[in-house]
Amino acid sequence: MPKIHGIIAYPVTPFAPDATGGIDTTRLAALVDRLVSSGVHAIAPLGSTGELAYLDESEFDTVVDTTIAAVDRRLPVIVGISDVTTAKTIRRARYAERAGADAVMILPVSYWKLTEREIAQHYRSIGDAIGIPIMAYNNPATSGVDMSPELLVTMFDNIENLTMVKESTGDLSRMHRIAQLSDGQLPFYNGSNPLVLDALRAGAAGWCTAAPNLRPQPCIDLYDAARREDLEKAQLLYDDLKPLLQFIVAGGLPTTVKAGLELMGFPVGDPRAALLPLDERGRAELQDLLAGG
């Protein structure tokens, strides 16, 4: 499979403005093509930004098919497949693999608090069902499940196709711990937008982010500068991006990114209820941030 690195862009999921409110496949394909053409390094549909938790199974399949067709093998595609049940997650994993995904990303989601034994078995069952790599996604703020570096490295050692970790707690020490425990063998990716510069300095293989929907080039330039160890240039780019990164995280990624795209003349519909569109005050602040960029 192609190497996964760099700026991993998370597209929003456009919804049709008509009464059906279904997936706007034309708009989704256009958005994905914009992202690919911008120079990002991979595309990751159906993460938190893509409102995976708000889609039914038919809509999930539609987003997978539309995204993979639009990418057309130009970049790696990592499909978010997370669900509360192992059975449904396996169905989604198999569908993504058949459709041509290069990898899947899994956030362990649970109503009941999962034990480490249950988390490991969840990933093992999915890994046994597919032949493509798994990115384990740790984001307790959204899932309610926190996976320690020790657990992540143990699963890496014992589940053949669990080969990557997206760390989104915003705790840099966890990234250092993953590198230490795995002797640098387990690639980790930053999923905390405000932490990006520190994460890249710590050796993150990439940055998983929704920001390229709005400002792709500064994200790419930041990654490139960090890779060159041009830390002065990287710091300047980060300082420029930081207010936007903080705003979209604080306001909710689907809500803020969709509002930003509309302000830029590329409407993709509102987020799905119970999420609400960005209010007028927020839109005015976002407009200023985009104009300043």
Side-chain angles (χ1 to χ4, degrees):
M1 67 165 269
K3 182 180 179 182
I4 295 174
H5 71 99
I7 302 300
I8 302 171
Y10 284 67
V12 295
T13 298
F15 296 125
D18 59 28
T20 66
I23 307 298
D24 187 336
T25 56
T26 300
R27 212 57 169 162
L28 175 57
L31 176 61
V32 170
D33 187 65
R34 276 166 55 117
L35 289 167
V36 173
S37 300
S38 74
V40 300
H41 304 96
I43 301 293
L46 297 168
S48 304
T49 305
E51 299 179 71
L52 170 60
Y54 300 86
L55 306 184
D56 64 27
E57 293 306 285
S58 174
E59 291 172 326
F60 171 91
D61 296 350
T62 296
V63 172
V64 171
D65 292 338
T66 302
T67 302
I68 290 175
V71 172
D72 195 24
R73 301 188 180 276
R74 290 176 287 173
L75 294 177
V77 176
I78 309 157
V79 175
I81 62 168
S82 311
D83 190 74
V84 171
T85 69
T86 300
K88 190 180 288 186
T89 309
I90 287 174
R91 191 212 75 83
R92 291 174 170 180
R94 286 173 168 163
Y95 191 92
E97 181 176 29
R98 289 195 303 270
D102 296 285
V104 293
M105 181 181 68
I106 304 171
L107 178 77
V109 183
S110 181
Y111 178 87
W112 298 105
K113 183 177 176 61
L114 297 176
T115 65
E116 290 196 348
R117 183 171 68 92
E118 289 167 331
I119 293 168
Q121 184 58 52
H122 180 65
Y123 278 97
R124 185 176 295 108
S125 296
I126 300 161
D128 287 346
I130 58 174
I132 57 177
I134 293 170
M135 175 184 284
Y137 176 19
N138 189 45
N139 189 353
T142 56
S143 71
V145 178
D146 192 3
M147 296 185 287
S148 68
E150 289 77 10
L151 174 60
L152 290 165
V153 173
T154 297
M155 293 195 298
F156 169 66
D157 289 338
N158 292 284
I159 300 173
E160 184 176 0
N161 50 346
L162 195 157
T163 61
M164 302 169 278
V165 169
K166 176 184 173 184
E167 231 300 322
S168 297
T169 60
D171 181 352
L172 190 65
S173 69
R174 290 177 178 240
M175 297 184 184
H176 289 299
R177 186 68 174 151
I178 289 168
Q180 177 188 35
L181 290 170
S182 69
D183 293 324
Q185 297 304 301
L186 174 54
F188 60 89
Y189 299 77
N190 174 59
S192 172
N193 282 309
L195 190 69
V196 56
L197 183 52
D198 288 337
L200 292 173
R201 287 172 173 166
W207 175 20
C208 304
T209 177
N213 288 281
L214 305 178
R215 295 190 63 195
Q217 196 59 54
C219 298
I220 296 165
D221 291 344
L222 172 56
Y223 173 75
D224 289 342
R227 291 271 294 197
R228 294 193 310 268
E229 297 187 354
D230 185 348
L231 298 184
E232 182 177 356
K233 176 68 176 296
Q235 185 69 57
L236 289 171
L237 288 161
Y238 173 72
D239 290 343
D240 176 58
L241 274 171
K242 184 177 178 180
L244 177 64
L245 298 179
Q246 292 177 325
F247 181 88
I248 64 176
V249 171
L253 294 173
T255 294
T256 55
V257 172
K258 286 188 167 184
L261 285 167
E262 183 179 3
L263 290 169
M264 294 167 63
F266 193 90
V268 290
D270 292 334
R272 184 163 282 177
L275 299 178
L276 291 173
L278 192 62
D279 61 25
E280 288 306 313
R281 180 177 178 180
R283 287 171 64 87
E285 184 177 351
L286 181 55
Q287 180 72 74
D288 289 343
L289 289 170
L290 293 173

